[in-house]
Amino acid sequence: MPDALISLSSVDKRFASGTVALQSASLEVRAGEFVSLLGPSGCGKSTVLRLVAGLDQPTAGRVDAPAWRDPAQARTGFVFQDATLLPWADVFDNVWLPLRLAGVSRAEAAPRIGALLASMGLADFVHAMPSELSGGMRMRVAIARARVTRPEALLMDEPFAALDEITRQRLNAELLDAWQAEPMAVMFVTHSVVEAVFLSQRVLVMGARPGRIVDVVEIDEPHPRPPGFRTSPRFAELCRRLSASLEAAMAGAA
Amino acid sequence: MKRFADAMLPAVVLVGLLVAWEVLVRVAEIPHYTLPAPSLVLQTLWANAASLAGSWWFTLKITFGALALAVAGGVLVASVFALSRPLERAFLPVAVMLQVTPVVAVAPLILIYVESTTAALLLCTWITAFFPILSNTVLGLRAAEPGHRDLFRLYRATPWQRLRLLLVPTALPYFAAGLKISGGLSLIGAVTAEMVAGAAGRETGLASRILEASFRTETPKMFAALVLLVLTGVAIFWLFDRLSRALLGRWHPTGSPN
């Protein structure tokens, strides 16, 4: 894949404690592609994202990603497991932060932030404080913050794990809308088979101890996905296929 | 209605206590040099208003002067500690020694070394007020969540941006909590130090009025000075409580970190 936006080549990651988080992991993500990383806890899914974001250094191997190429980085967005909003700043200021750190003034940033918040149903919450928002709303703000720089790569680390099922489904649908409105590569870490199938074009299945990529499953249903996709036999078949792969990965680890 | 009752309850208790005190003194005919009635304390306060006001002002200057120095010193040293673990390890024991030394014990020494009584009083008071600001601010400057730190690293924040937009706002509730403690301690420090120093300088504070009245067994005057001190302490507490609320605005409803 010569046109890969993100690539890991035989990457090892060993922590100071001696834990091997990743062993000879290789993967590639094309520009604009939606890829999920699926695996049991402790398989190094989050580590892959942190490496891609430049938040961690590989012990061995090579990482190539926008955050590593562009020194004045604004091309990578990261959505953490918690919304990690600044509690003393309102919604506008939280979303402004990435641009502010890049030297964009409030006035310059306002049109982009206004449009983004409106498109995500947050128009009425521009001046709300994070403590006044529900968990789902907080996560929407976190996604808006990650999107505000129009990133080439959006990295999401189990962003909806703490939300209830209904909110999670709605945010899944909104995420796909956002991805189709503004082309960007998405790397989405999850431990939900259903979520991985619903969202992605490709799912990388990971095994634990040591963390490695054990399988790649193409979800060859074109986007936008039809309304009945979630309940279709095709969906169930893909989930079965992915579950089997995940079980094999976990059996291999045990 | 409930809120009104909640607000009134402490006032009722206070007035009740004062009335009981007044009645006790009158009925039991306790002499005023043993225990003056609240009404007499009030009269004394009024009669000595001019001299007490001057002393009150002096005590207030020492209190707030030392507190300002404690804030400046505490924040400065806390920033250095927060930047460098080795420096913290090296100097924290010294700060702890300052903290655990009772002012009463160290004041006579300070009075020997420092010529000006006012400066000596400031120094003693500073010692009591310094540590809560220091330790709370150090804690606060280190309190930023890992997720927030990652966020600032991801977007390549400069050290100055990190300080201004992450570390200082995170530390603010901790600092405010330290300020509330130190505000009360400053007044205690100022009075205690003057008790030990005695009435040496030209200007003297409320502690000197109390000592003076004690030598002359003017018990009502001692109470009058004491009343002023209590009121000042309550006012300082209230002031810093309001200040920390204003500082923290909407984002931290309790006004202090949990």
Side-chain angles (χ1 to χ4, degrees), chain A residues 50 53 55 67 70-71 73 76-78 80 84-88 97-98 100-101 127 129 132 145-146, chain B residues 145 147-158 161-162 164-167 169-170 250-253:
Chain A
R50 294 182 62 84
L55 291 173
D70 181 4
Q73 112 90 17
T76 302
F78 204 119
F80 300 89
T84 61
L85 302 178
L86 304 177
W88 54 82
L97 183 74
R100 188 179 190 182
L101 293 176
H127 297 298
M129 300 302 282
E132 297 161 0
R145 180 180 64 190
Chain B
E145 288 173 32
H148 289 156
R149 291 178 184 278
D150 282 344
L151 191 68
F152 277 69
R153 276 182 58 209
L154 179 74
Y155 292 109
R156 312 272 159 88
T158 62
Q161 285 175 325
R162 209 168 75 97
R164 192 165 58 93
L165 299 175
L166 178 62
L167 300 186
T170 305
R250 283 191 292 165
W251 76 272
H252 221 299

Side-chain angles (χ1 to χ4, degrees), chain B residues 208-231:
Chain B
S208 300
R209 293 287 81 72
I210 293 177
L211 284 176
E212 226 170 65
S214 153
F215 296 144
R216 301 177 194 157
T217 3
E218 291 174 331
T219 318
K221 205 169 165 189
M222 290 172 73
F223 269 94
L226 211 52
V227 165
L228 266 184
L229 276 179
V230 169
L231 289 179

Side-chain angles (χ1 to χ4, degrees), chain B residues 44-131:
Chain B
T44 314
L45 193 59
W46 185 251
N48 296 282
S51 88
L52 283 174
S55 304
W56 175 76
W57 179 236
F58 179 75
T59 298
L60 213 59
K61 278 194 293 190
I62 296 287
T63 303
F64 280 94
L67 185 61
L69 291 174
V71 167
V75 169
L76 196 74
V77 176
S79 310
V80 172
F81 280 9
L83 285 174
S84 157
R85 288 254 179 210
L87 275 178
E88 181 184 9
R89 258 195 298 279
F91 284 97
L92 192 64
V94 179
V96 171
M97 280 159 68
L98 271 181
Q99 155 75 359
V100 296
T101 311
V103 168
V104 194
V106 78
L109 266 181
I110 290 176
L111 283 163
I112 293 175
Y113 299 139
V114 181
E115 188 99 22
S116 145
T117 314
T118 306
L121 291 181
L122 270 175
L123 186 58
C124 290
T125 310
W126 178 83
I127 289 173
T128 52
F130 170 70
F131 198 76

Side-chain angles (χ1 to χ4, degrees), chain A residues 79 91 95 112-125 136-148 154 156 160 170-171 174-175 177-179 181-182 184:
Chain A
V79 179
V91 167
V95 176
R112 166 70 178 155
I113 295 171
L116 193 58
L117 291 178
S119 79
M120 296 179 75
L122 290 163
D124 294 338
F125 299 93
M137 283 310 226
R138 276 205 284 271
M139 194 44 82
R140 282 189 181 91
V141 177
I143 294 172
R145 180 180 64 190
R147 287 180 59 200
V148 76
L154 179 61
M156 308 182 81
F160 308 142
R170 187 175 302 155
L171 282 163
E174 287 177 13
L175 177 60
D177 291 345
W179 174 63
E182 291 182 349
M184 56 189 164

